[in-house]
Amino acid sequence: MRIGVCPGSFDPVTLGHMDIIERATKIFDKVIVAVLNNPAKQTSFTVEERVTLLKRATEHLPTVEVDSFEGLLADYAKLCHATAIVKGLRALSDFEYEFQMALTNQRLNKGLETVFLTTSSDNMFLSSSVVKDIARFGGDISTLVPSCILNDIKQRLRSEERRVGKECRSRWS
Ligand code: PNS
């Protein structure tokens, strides 16, 4: 069985991620979407929230499993018996970092391949940070995230914005 791992922060999942995950299901028998749980990195959504959103967004894909992992991706891939890591490339600027990661993961887990899928031109500009910036200020993200989780993402980011705003105001009052 060919198993592909799609790793990422998914903070939150976007239509760009979904495009890569959906295309990966055409190449691999099973696709594991692996959410990085890195306590040292500040995220807007908890790892549990990110996993829940991804599970709902991939409900229509029977060969997709959503999981979280800590530590090295190369070790996690070995644990899952993955054939390859699947990453999306948006632009040339992504390449240098991804190339370094692919070589590192290959060194750590001999035989582990990294498969790069070029992002659809529609999603070239898209990232979780872009989604968060727009949503926090009430902008329209309906064409950027899966429709089944649109309201959850909007509410969550708006409440975060209100909380941070309140903290700032009380600090300065
Ligand atoms: O969505 P992101 O934040 O670009 O995803 C990055 C991710 C999770 C793929 C990358 O940070 C990762 O693999 N982290 C696990 C730690 C690791 O294995 N690092 C590589 C060796 S230094």
Side-chain angles (χ1 to χ4, degrees), residues 32-92:
I32 301 175
V33 180
V35 181
L36 177 65
N37 182 12
N38 179 2
K41 190 175 163 187
Q42 203 173 352
T43 54
S44 299
F45 293 81
T46 66
V47 68
E48 291 81 12
E49 286 173 327
R50 289 178 274 150
V51 166
T52 302
L53 291 173
L54 269 160
K55 280 188 176 163
R56 283 178 37 211
T58 57
E59 245 168 19
H60 62 294
L61 301 168
T63 57
V64 170
E65 258 178 38
V66 182
D67 191 14
S68 61
F69 76 103
E70 284 177 28
L72 291 175
L73 177 59
D75 291 342
Y76 177 76
K78 196 178 279 177
L79 208 69
C80 312
H81 306 289
T83 317
I85 291 167
V86 184
K87 299 293 302 271
L89 277 185
R90 282 168 303 193
L92 203 58

Side-chain angles (χ1 to χ4, degrees), residues 1-164:
M1 186 194 257
R2 281 180 190 279
I3 301 175
V5 175
C6 283
S9 301
F10 303 105
D11 187 40
V13 58
T14 69
L15 286 181
H17 296 128
M18 289 304 297
D19 173 45
I20 300 297
I21 295 167
E22 280 168 5
R23 283 158 59 201
T25 63
K26 297 185 181 126
I27 305 172
F28 295 92
D29 302 311
K30 180 167 140 185
V31 172
I32 301 175
V33 180
V35 181
L36 177 65
N37 182 12
N38 179 2
K41 190 175 163 187
Q42 203 173 352
T43 54
S44 299
F45 293 81
T46 66
V47 68
E48 291 81 12
E49 286 173 327
R50 289 178 274 150
V51 166
T52 302
L53 291 173
L54 269 160
K55 280 188 176 163
R56 283 178 37 211
T58 57
E59 245 168 19
H60 62 294
L61 301 168
T63 57
V64 170
E65 258 178 38
V66 182
D67 191 14
S68 61
F69 76 103
E70 284 177 28
L72 291 175
L73 177 59
D75 291 342
Y76 177 76
K78 196 178 279 177
L79 208 69
C80 312
H81 306 289
T83 317
I85 291 167
V86 184
K87 299 293 302 271
L89 277 185
R90 282 168 303 193
L92 203 58
S93 52
D94 284 346
F95 183 76
E96 210 168 322
Y97 171 75
E98 294 297 347
F99 189 62
Q100 188 187 26
M101 284 295 142
L103 292 176
T104 307
N105 287 326
Q106 202 172 53
R107 179 66 63 92
L108 295 172
N109 178 348
K110 209 168 170 351
L112 178 66
E113 299 293 346
T114 298
V115 173
F116 292 113
L117 299 180
T118 47
T119 195
S120 311
S121 52
D122 275 3
N123 298 323
M124 277 184 74
F125 68 97
L126 187 48
S127 69
S128 297
S129 309
V130 163
V131 166
K132 286 188 279 193
D133 273 351
I134 298 172
R136 280 190 188 118
F137 299 108
D140 180 16
I141 55 163
S142 60
T143 61
L144 310 180
V145 299
S147 53
C148 62
I149 55 172
L150 171 66
N151 284 335
D152 299 81
I153 293 177
K154 273 191 341 198
Q155 275 174 15
R156 182 71 174 64
L157 291 172
R158 290 291 284 169
S159 69
E160 186 187 72
E161 173 60 19
R162 278 195 293 271
R163 182 179 55 76
V164 173

